[in-house]
Amino acid sequence: MEMRELTVVSGSFVGFQFLFSVASPFLSAVVAPGGYGSLPPTKLTEWNSRLVSTVHALIVGLFCLYILWYDDAVNADPVWGDPNLVKLNVAITCGYLLYDLVLLACNWSTMGDSFFVCHHLAALYAYGYVLTQGVLPYFANFRLISELSTPFVNQRWFYEALKVPRQNRLVVVNGVAMAVAFFLVRIAVMPTYWASVFATFGTEAFDRLGTGPQVAWITSCIALDVLNTIWMYKIARGCYKVLTGASRGGGAGRKAEALPPSDKPLPPSDKHNHVNNHTD
């Protein structure tokens, strides 16, 4: 890994930690003094982590779209194209993933989620090849488009923490937007993504990768898409219950079924009443 990428990873880790421990509490106390100040300590930790998750998602998600639209070198050669901008975006994400793993480890009793840890480790495993060898820039960047669904998932949790009624129009609109965004950036893109993957098989560019990057690329993508499919199923069920409950008038106030991560879905049990943040 070059010094530039290592610096970005380290700076990202420190920056997100600062946002979590200093900036988020201050801003949240100003923007939502009544609601934020009345939350129990475990909820405050979750609140701050989700605000960090939203900031990360907006940064890398928008950066990802810019690269997809304007980085001709990456789009022309998805396996060996110029990875400079992609490596910066991936380095930001790796710093965030490391920060979030530390946060989970320190708050495992209230925020621990084994699926979420698997998600982060799979992403770090694959992104490590991007940072160290500069390979697969198009595919690495394409995965990050999934982050654009994260702000809606986190907003759902904020409404839940502030006890906004589920029949409230803002809650319902955000829930529908979350389901639509999650489907568009995590599920609907699968055929296009995998078509591009299969198109590289047997080519000289693919053979040059070697076994290590090939295995990391394919296995991590399969693992992440399996998780995305599971989470989409949960989100769809929760969205359906909210919409049908709202249409009957009164059912929307009931506690909905667990929805998937930020990337952190809301489990049905009070024992694990949190929703994990999620990044691909």
Side-chain angles (χ1 to χ4, degrees):
M1 187 186 304
E2 296 179 4
M3 182 57 67
R4 185 187 67 163
E5 283 72 43
L6 185 59
T7 301
V8 174
V9 172
S10 303
S12 174
F13 178 88
V14 173
F16 286 124
Q17 179 60 50
F18 175 81
L19 179 59
F20 168 80
S21 58
V22 178
S24 176
F26 175 77
L27 293 175
S28 299
V30 172
V31 175
Y36 178 80
S38 63
L39 295 175
T42 55
K43 288 282 189 179
L44 290 176
T45 299
E46 181 82 3
W47 178 293
N48 293 329
S49 74
R50 287 186 173 281
L51 184 58
V52 175
S53 171
T54 295
V55 171
H56 163 262
L58 291 174
I59 292 173
V60 301
L62 294 176
F63 197 5
C64 166
L65 290 180
Y66 174 83
I67 294 172
L68 285 174
W69 288 334
Y70 298 109
D71 196 327
D72 295 334
V74 168
N75 294 321
D77 186 354
V79 179
W80 293 98
D82 179 9
N84 283 324
L85 289 181
V86 174
K87 288 171 74 173
L88 288 177
N89 209 19
V90 168
I92 293 172
T93 291
C94 287
Y96 169 78
L97 293 174
L98 292 172
Y99 139 82
D100 208 40
L101 284 173
V102 172
L103 181 66
L104 285 175
C106 294
N107 299 275
W108 188 259
S109 61
T110 56
M111 296 176 62
D113 187 323
S114 56
F115 280 110
F116 199 50
V117 171
C118 290
H119 170 275
H120 279 20
L121 293 178
L124 285 170
Y125 172 51
Y127 288 150
Y129 281 100
V130 180
L131 292 180
T132 58
Q133 299 184 23
V135 297
L136 303 166
Y138 172 85
F139 297 104
N141 189 69
F142 198 99
R143 300 301 308 192
L144 287 175
I145 196 175
S146 64
E147 282 304 304
L148 293 174
S149 67
T150 297
F152 299 104
V153 177
N154 288 337
Q155 186 60 46
R156 176 187 184 278
W157 188 91
F158 290 139
Y159 283 139
E160 188 79 18
L162 294 175
K163 300 188 184 324
V164 179
R166 288 181 179 262
Q167 65 268 30
N168 184 287
R169 180 173 297 179
L170 291 176
V171 177
V172 174
V173 169
N174 180 75
V176 174
M178 177 183 70
V180 172
F182 199 96
F183 175 77
L184 290 177
V185 301
R186 294 178 183 269
I187 305 300
V189 296
M190 285 185 188
T192 299
Y193 180 83
W194 283 103
S196 298
V197 171
F198 292 139
T200 67
F201 286 180
T203 64
E204 186 271 340
F206 181 82
D207 293 337
R208 283 173 55 200
L209 285 173
T211 303
Q214 291 171 356
V215 172
W217 175 26
I218 302 303
T219 57
S220 64
C221 287
I222 292 175
L224 293 173
D225 282 341
V226 167
L227 288 174
N228 283 332
T229 301
I230 293 172
W231 291 333
M232 184 71 251
Y233 170 73
K234 292 181 178 182
I235 282 182
R237 288 186 63 184
C239 185
Y240 174 78
K241 286 192 174 185
V242 169
L243 290 176
T244 55
S247 65
R248 290 195 300 268
R254 297 174 301 175
K255 188 171 185 177
E257 200 169 312
L259 297 185
S262 342
D263 26 279
K264 285 176 184 177
L266 199 46
S269 159
D270 288 335
K271 180 181 179 182
H272 298 293
N273 191 22
H274 65 279
V275 181
N276 287 326
N277 307 311
H278 173 76
T279 195
D280 278 355

